[in-house]
Amino acid sequence: MSATHADTIVMPTRKSPVPAITFAGLILILAILPAFVYPIFVMKLLCFVLFAAAFNLLLGYTGLLSFGHAAFFGGAAYVTAHALKVWQVTPELAIIAGVVTSIVLGLIIGVVAIRRQGIYFAMITLAMAQMFYFFCLQAPFTNGEDGIQGFSRGNLFGIIDLNETMNLYYFIAAVSVLSLALIWRIVNSPFGQILRAIRENEPRTISLGYSAQRFKLAAFVMSAGLTGLAGALKALLFQFATLADVAWQMSGEVILMTLIGGIGTMAGPVVGAGILVGMQNFLATSGLPVTMVLGGTFMICVLLFRRGVVGEFLHLLERRKG
Protein backbone atom coordinates (compact mmCIF):
# COMPACT_ATOMS: atom_id res chain seq x y z
CA MET A 1 0.00 0.00 0.00
CA SER A 2 1.42 3.42 -0.93
CA ALA A 3 2.01 6.15 1.61
CA THR A 4 -0.47 8.40 -0.14
CA HIS A 5 -3.18 5.77 -0.03
CA ALA A 6 -2.44 5.03 3.62
CA ASP A 7 -2.70 8.73 4.50
CA THR A 8 -6.03 8.90 2.68
CA ILE A 9 -7.43 6.10 4.84
CA VAL A 10 -5.93 7.07 8.21
CA MET A 11 -6.28 10.84 8.25
CA PRO A 12 -9.64 11.99 9.68
CA THR A 13 -11.90 14.36 7.82
CA ARG A 14 -11.62 17.89 9.15
CA LYS A 15 -14.68 20.03 9.51
CA SER A 16 -14.55 23.26 7.55
CA PRO A 17 -14.60 26.44 9.67
CA VAL A 18 -16.42 28.32 6.89
CA PRO A 19 -20.02 27.71 8.17
CA ALA A 20 -19.14 28.86 11.70
CA ILE A 21 -17.40 31.97 10.35
CA THR A 22 -20.33 32.67 8.03
CA PHE A 23 -22.93 32.48 10.81
CA ALA A 24 -20.72 34.56 13.12
CA GLY A 25 -20.47 37.20 10.39
CA LEU A 26 -24.24 37.08 9.87
CA ILE A 27 -24.84 37.63 13.60
CA LEU A 28 -22.42 40.58 13.61
CA ILE A 29 -24.08 42.16 10.57
CA LEU A 30 -27.56 41.79 12.08
CA ALA A 31 -26.36 43.28 15.35
CA ILE A 32 -25.19 46.52 13.74
CA LEU A 33 -27.59 46.72 10.79
CA PRO A 34 -30.37 48.70 12.60
CA ALA A 35 -27.94 51.60 12.88
CA PHE A 36 -27.92 51.93 9.08
CA VAL A 37 -31.18 50.38 7.82
CA TYR A 38 -34.80 50.79 8.94
CA PRO A 39 -35.37 47.89 11.41
CA ILE A 40 -38.89 47.10 10.15
CA PHE A 41 -37.53 46.53 6.65
CA VAL A 42 -34.78 44.25 7.98
CA MET A 43 -37.31 42.22 9.99
CA LYS A 44 -39.53 41.84 6.94
CA LEU A 45 -36.51 40.72 4.94
CA LEU A 46 -35.57 38.15 7.60
CA CYS A 47 -39.09 36.69 7.53
CA PHE A 48 -38.90 36.20 3.77
CA VAL A 49 -35.32 34.91 3.93
CA LEU A 50 -36.55 32.18 6.27
CA PHE A 51 -39.54 31.55 3.99
CA ALA A 52 -37.30 31.16 0.93
CA ALA A 53 -34.76 29.01 2.81
CA ALA A 54 -37.54 26.67 3.97
CA PHE A 55 -38.87 26.42 0.42
CA ASN A 56 -35.35 25.79 -0.89
CA LEU A 57 -35.05 22.83 1.48
CA LEU A 58 -37.83 21.20 -0.54
CA LEU A 59 -37.02 22.39 -4.07
CA GLY A 60 -33.25 22.79 -3.98
CA TYR A 61 -32.32 19.74 -1.94
CA THR A 62 -35.22 17.34 -2.55
CA GLY A 63 -36.24 18.34 -6.06
CA LEU A 64 -39.92 18.90 -5.26
CA LEU A 65 -41.55 22.03 -6.69
CA SER A 66 -44.49 23.15 -4.56
CA PHE A 67 -46.97 25.76 -5.75
CA GLY A 68 -48.81 25.75 -2.43
CA HIS A 69 -46.39 26.96 0.25
CA ALA A 70 -48.54 30.03 0.87
CA ALA A 71 -50.96 27.73 2.72
CA PHE A 72 -48.34 27.04 5.39
CA PHE A 73 -47.14 30.66 5.49
CA GLY A 74 -50.60 32.19 5.73
CA GLY A 75 -52.10 29.41 7.87
CA ALA A 76 -49.49 29.96 10.57
CA ALA A 77 -49.97 33.73 10.28
CA TYR A 78 -53.74 33.41 10.84
CA VAL A 79 -53.40 31.07 13.82
CA THR A 80 -50.69 33.22 15.42
CA ALA A 81 -52.77 36.37 14.99
CA HIS A 82 -55.92 34.65 16.31
CA ALA A 83 -54.03 33.28 19.32
CA LEU A 84 -52.70 36.73 20.20
CA LYS A 85 -55.97 38.59 19.66
CA VAL A 86 -58.61 36.15 20.91
CA TRP A 87 -56.81 33.67 23.16
CA GLN A 88 -54.45 36.41 24.41
CA VAL A 89 -51.58 34.01 24.98
CA THR A 90 -47.92 34.99 25.12
CA PRO A 91 -46.22 35.49 21.73
CA GLU A 92 -44.02 32.37 21.97
CA LEU A 93 -47.12 30.19 22.50
CA ALA A 94 -48.90 31.92 19.60
CA ILE A 95 -45.91 31.23 17.33
CA ILE A 96 -45.79 27.59 18.43
CA ALA A 97 -49.51 27.26 17.66
CA GLY A 98 -48.92 28.68 14.19
CA VAL A 99 -45.97 26.35 13.52
CA VAL A 100 -47.92 23.29 14.70
CA THR A 101 -50.76 24.29 12.37
CA SER A 102 -48.40 24.50 9.41
CA ILE A 103 -46.86 21.11 10.30
CA VAL A 104 -50.31 19.49 10.40
CA LEU A 105 -51.21 21.12 7.08
CA GLY A 106 -47.90 19.96 5.63
CA LEU A 107 -48.57 16.41 6.75
CA ILE A 108 -52.06 16.39 5.23
CA ILE A 109 -51.04 17.95 1.91
CA GLY A 110 -47.79 16.01 1.77
CA VAL A 111 -49.42 12.59 2.21
CA VAL A 112 -51.55 13.31 -0.84
CA ALA A 113 -49.02 15.16 -2.99
CA ILE A 114 -45.88 13.01 -2.69
CA ARG A 115 -47.64 10.13 -4.40
CA ARG A 116 -47.07 12.01 -7.63
CA GLN A 117 -43.99 13.56 -9.24
CA GLY A 118 -43.13 16.53 -11.42
CA ILE A 119 -45.89 18.78 -12.62
CA TYR A 120 -48.54 16.53 -11.06
CA PHE A 121 -47.01 17.08 -7.62
CA ALA A 122 -46.91 20.85 -8.23
CA MET A 123 -50.54 20.97 -9.39
CA ILE A 124 -51.77 18.97 -6.38
CA THR A 125 -50.04 21.35 -3.98
CA LEU A 126 -51.54 24.32 -5.83
CA ALA A 127 -55.04 22.83 -5.79
CA MET A 128 -54.94 22.01 -2.07
CA ALA A 129 -53.50 25.44 -1.26
CA GLN A 130 -56.38 27.05 -3.16
CA MET A 131 -58.82 24.93 -1.18
CA PHE A 132 -57.24 26.27 1.99
CA TYR A 133 -57.44 29.81 0.59
CA PHE A 134 -61.21 29.51 0.13
CA PHE A 135 -61.48 27.99 3.62
CA CYS A 136 -59.75 31.09 5.02
CA LEU A 137 -62.08 33.28 2.97
CA GLN A 138 -65.17 31.66 4.51
CA ALA A 139 -63.99 30.71 8.03
CA PRO A 140 -65.48 32.97 10.76
CA PHE A 141 -62.27 33.37 12.76
CA THR A 142 -60.32 34.86 9.80
CA ASN A 143 -62.78 37.77 9.30
CA GLY A 144 -62.86 37.16 5.56
CA GLU A 145 -61.31 39.90 3.44
CA ASP A 146 -60.72 42.09 6.49
CA GLY A 147 -58.30 39.62 8.05
CA ILE A 148 -57.14 39.62 11.66
CA GLN A 149 -55.61 42.88 12.78
CA GLY A 150 -55.30 45.28 15.67
CA PHE A 151 -53.73 42.96 18.25
CA SER A 152 -50.86 43.53 20.65
CA ARG A 153 -47.60 41.62 20.26
CA GLY A 154 -47.53 40.94 23.98
CA ASN A 155 -44.59 40.15 26.24
CA LEU A 156 -42.15 37.38 25.32
CA PHE A 157 -42.08 34.83 28.19
CA GLY A 158 -44.15 37.39 30.08
CA ILE A 159 -41.07 39.63 30.47
CA ILE A 160 -39.80 41.19 27.21
CA ASP A 161 -42.17 43.70 25.62
CA LEU A 162 -42.23 42.95 21.89
CA ASN A 163 -44.12 46.16 21.19
CA GLU A 164 -40.70 47.81 21.51
CA THR A 165 -39.18 47.77 18.03
CA MET A 166 -35.64 46.79 19.01
CA ASN A 167 -36.81 43.99 21.31
CA LEU A 168 -38.82 42.59 18.43
CA TYR A 169 -35.89 43.04 16.05
CA TYR A 170 -33.44 41.03 18.11
CA PHE A 171 -36.05 38.33 18.73
CA ILE A 172 -36.80 37.90 15.01
CA ALA A 173 -33.08 38.08 14.17
CA ALA A 174 -32.25 35.37 16.73
CA VAL A 175 -35.05 33.07 15.57
CA SER A 176 -34.08 33.56 11.91
CA VAL A 177 -30.38 32.81 12.47
CA LEU A 178 -31.16 29.71 14.56
CA SER A 179 -33.61 28.51 11.89
CA LEU A 180 -31.06 29.00 9.11
CA ALA A 181 -28.52 27.10 11.21
CA LEU A 182 -31.05 24.29 11.62
CA ILE A 183 -31.64 24.15 7.86
CA TRP A 184 -27.87 24.04 7.27
CA ARG A 185 -27.58 21.17 9.75
CA ILE A 186 -30.41 19.26 8.07
CA VAL A 187 -28.89 19.72 4.62
CA ASN A 188 -25.42 18.60 5.76
CA SER A 189 -26.61 15.58 7.76
CA PRO A 190 -26.96 11.98 6.48
CA PHE A 191 -30.66 12.77 6.09
CA GLY A 192 -29.77 15.67 3.80
CA GLN A 193 -27.47 13.46 1.74
CA ILE A 194 -30.34 11.06 1.16
CA LEU A 195 -32.55 13.97 0.06
CA ARG A 196 -29.88 14.92 -2.47
CA ALA A 197 -29.73 11.33 -3.70
CA ILE A 198 -33.51 11.32 -4.18
CA ARG A 199 -33.25 14.56 -6.14
CA GLU A 200 -30.50 13.21 -8.41
CA ASN A 201 -31.72 9.65 -8.94
CA GLU A 202 -34.78 8.47 -7.03
CA PRO A 203 -34.96 4.92 -8.50
CA ARG A 204 -31.34 4.26 -7.55
CA THR A 205 -31.95 5.57 -4.03
CA ILE A 206 -34.88 3.20 -3.68
CA SER A 207 -32.74 0.33 -4.94
CA LEU A 208 -30.30 1.03 -2.09
CA GLY A 209 -33.06 0.31 0.41
CA TYR A 210 -34.28 3.81 1.29
CA SER A 211 -37.97 4.66 1.36
CA ALA A 212 -38.09 7.71 -0.91
CA GLN A 213 -41.72 8.43 0.00
CA ARG A 214 -40.95 8.70 3.71
CA PHE A 215 -37.94 10.93 3.18
CA LYS A 216 -39.85 13.21 0.81
CA LEU A 217 -42.74 13.44 3.26
CA ALA A 218 -40.34 14.26 6.09
CA ALA A 219 -38.71 16.99 3.98
CA PHE A 220 -42.13 18.35 3.00
CA VAL A 221 -43.28 18.56 6.63
CA MET A 222 -40.01 20.16 7.76
CA SER A 223 -40.28 22.73 4.99
CA ALA A 224 -43.91 23.42 5.94
CA GLY A 225 -43.02 23.87 9.61
CA LEU A 226 -40.19 26.31 8.90
CA THR A 227 -42.40 28.16 6.43
CA GLY A 228 -45.05 28.42 9.15
CA LEU A 229 -42.45 29.91 11.48
CA ALA A 230 -41.73 32.60 8.87
CA GLY A 231 -45.45 33.32 8.52
CA ALA A 232 -45.92 33.52 12.30
CA LEU A 233 -43.03 35.99 12.62
CA LYS A 234 -44.43 38.08 9.78
CA ALA A 235 -47.86 38.25 11.48
CA LEU A 236 -46.19 39.23 14.76
CA LEU A 237 -44.19 41.94 12.98
CA PHE A 238 -47.00 43.66 11.09
CA GLN A 239 -49.76 42.77 13.59
CA PHE A 240 -52.15 41.46 10.96
CA ALA A 241 -52.88 38.40 8.85
CA THR A 242 -54.84 38.68 5.59
CA LEU A 243 -55.83 36.64 2.56
CA ALA A 244 -52.72 37.92 0.76
CA ASP A 245 -50.70 35.60 3.01
CA VAL A 246 -52.46 32.49 1.70
CA ALA A 247 -52.97 33.60 -1.92
CA TRP A 248 -51.19 31.82 -4.79
CA GLN A 249 -49.21 35.00 -5.47
CA MET A 250 -47.34 34.43 -2.21
CA SER A 251 -46.33 30.97 -3.42
CA GLY A 252 -45.14 32.55 -6.66
CA GLU A 253 -43.04 35.12 -4.81
CA VAL A 254 -41.11 32.52 -2.83
CA ILE A 255 -40.45 30.56 -6.03
CA LEU A 256 -39.05 33.75 -7.61
CA MET A 257 -36.84 34.42 -4.59
CA THR A 258 -35.37 30.93 -4.69
CA LEU A 259 -34.82 30.84 -8.45
CA ILE A 260 -33.29 34.32 -8.60
CA GLY A 261 -30.93 33.58 -5.71
CA GLY A 262 -30.03 30.05 -6.77
CA ILE A 263 -31.68 26.76 -5.85
CA GLY A 264 -29.72 24.20 -3.92
CA THR A 265 -27.48 26.78 -2.20
CA MET A 266 -27.67 28.13 1.35
CA ALA A 267 -26.96 31.72 0.31
CA GLY A 268 -29.34 31.66 -2.67
CA PRO A 269 -32.58 32.26 -0.73
CA VAL A 270 -30.90 35.07 1.25
CA VAL A 271 -29.82 36.87 -1.92
CA GLY A 272 -33.07 36.17 -3.74
CA ALA A 273 -35.22 37.42 -0.86
CA GLY A 274 -33.02 40.50 -0.54
CA ILE A 275 -33.42 41.33 -4.24
CA LEU A 276 -37.17 40.77 -4.35
CA VAL A 277 -38.10 42.42 -1.04
CA GLY A 278 -35.73 45.31 -1.75
CA MET A 279 -37.26 45.89 -5.17
CA GLN A 280 -40.80 45.70 -3.76
CA ASN A 281 -39.90 48.25 -1.09
CA PHE A 282 -38.35 50.60 -3.66
CA LEU A 283 -41.05 50.20 -6.30
CA ALA A 284 -43.88 50.76 -3.80
CA THR A 285 -43.15 54.51 -3.84
CA SER A 286 -41.74 54.84 -7.35
CA GLY A 287 -44.98 54.77 -9.32
CA LEU A 288 -43.66 52.00 -11.57
CA PRO A 289 -45.74 48.83 -12.20
CA VAL A 290 -44.41 46.40 -9.57
CA THR A 291 -45.48 43.15 -11.22
CA MET A 292 -44.08 44.11 -14.63
CA VAL A 293 -40.71 45.11 -13.20
CA LEU A 294 -40.48 41.95 -11.11
CA GLY A 295 -41.44 39.85 -14.13
CA GLY A 296 -38.78 41.56 -16.25
CA THR A 297 -36.19 40.98 -13.52
CA PHE A 298 -37.08 37.30 -13.44
CA MET A 299 -36.73 37.02 -17.22
CA ILE A 300 -33.29 38.68 -17.09
CA CYS A 301 -32.15 36.31 -14.35
CA VAL A 302 -33.39 33.28 -16.29
CA LEU A 303 -31.56 34.40 -19.43
CA LEU A 304 -28.31 35.57 -17.81
CA PHE A 305 -28.15 33.61 -14.56
CA ARG A 306 -29.51 30.16 -15.30
CA ARG A 307 -28.27 28.85 -11.95
CA GLY A 308 -29.36 31.97 -10.05
CA VAL A 309 -27.10 34.75 -8.82
CA VAL A 310 -25.33 32.65 -6.17
CA GLY A 311 -25.32 29.54 -8.36
CA GLU A 312 -23.57 31.35 -11.20
CA PHE A 313 -21.04 32.86 -8.80
CA LEU A 314 -20.18 29.44 -7.33
CA HIS A 315 -20.00 27.95 -10.83
CA LEU A 316 -17.55 30.71 -11.86
CA LEU A 317 -15.36 29.96 -8.83
CA GLU A 318 -15.31 26.26 -9.68
CA ARG A 319 -14.30 26.99 -13.27
CA ARG A 320 -11.44 29.19 -12.09
CA LYS A 321 -10.24 26.50 -9.70
CA GLY A 322 -10.47 23.94 -12.46
Side-chain angles (χ1 to χ4, degrees), residues 23 26 30 41-59 61 69 72-73 76 95 98-99 102 171-187 219-237 250 253-255 257-258 265-274 277:
F23 279 107
L26 179 60
L30 290 175
F41 170 76
V42 180
M43 286 187 278
K44 178 184 177 181
L45 176 59
L46 287 172
C47 291
F48 281 97
V49 163
L50 179 55
F51 187 11
F55 179 78
N56 187 49
L57 176 63
L58 188 66
L59 175 60
Y61 294 100
H69 258 50
F72 315 130
F73 186 82
I95 291 172
V99 172
S102 63
F171 171 67
I172 290 180
V175 173
S176 300
V177 171
L178 290 173
S179 300
L180 291 175
L182 175 61
I183 292 172
W184 179 88
R185 186 68 189 90
I186 292 171
V187 167
F220 193 90
V221 173
M222 289 178 185
S223 179
L226 290 164
T227 296
L229 179 58
L233 292 176
K234 189 251 184 185
L236 187 67
L237 169 62
M250 186 64 72
E253 283 187 16
V254 75
I255 294 173
M257 292 176 192
T258 310
T265 62
M266 283 299 299
V270 178
V271 174
V277 174

Side-chain angles (χ1 to χ4, degrees), residues 14-97:
R14 295 182 180 178
K15 292 184 178 179
S16 172
V18 174
I21 295 173
T22 301
F23 279 107
L26 179 60
I27 292 171
L28 179 61
I29 291 171
L30 290 175
I32 64 174
L33 201 57
F36 305 97
V37 184
Y38 187 44
I40 299 296
F41 170 76
V42 180
M43 286 187 278
K44 178 184 177 181
L45 176 59
L46 287 172
C47 291
F48 281 97
V49 163
L50 179 55
F51 187 11
F55 179 78
N56 187 49
L57 176 63
L58 188 66
L59 175 60
Y61 294 100
T62 316
L64 298 175
L65 174 60
S66 169
F67 283 156
H69 258 50
F72 315 130
F73 186 82
Y78 269 122
V79 172
T80 300
H82 181 78
L84 286 169
K85 184 172 184 177
V86 179
W87 300 340
Q88 296 185 346
V89 299
T90 54
E92 69 275 8
L93 293 179
I95 291 172
I96 291 172

Side-chain angles (χ1 to χ4, degrees), residues 137-162:
L137 180 63
Q138 300 294 332
F141 83 96
T142 63
N143 297 325
E145 295 182 355
D146 294 329
I148 304 174
Q149 52 189 317
F151 54 86
S152 173
R153 299 188 183 110
N155 296 326
L156 185 66
F157 305 118
I159 302 173
I160 304 173
D161 185 11
L162 293 185

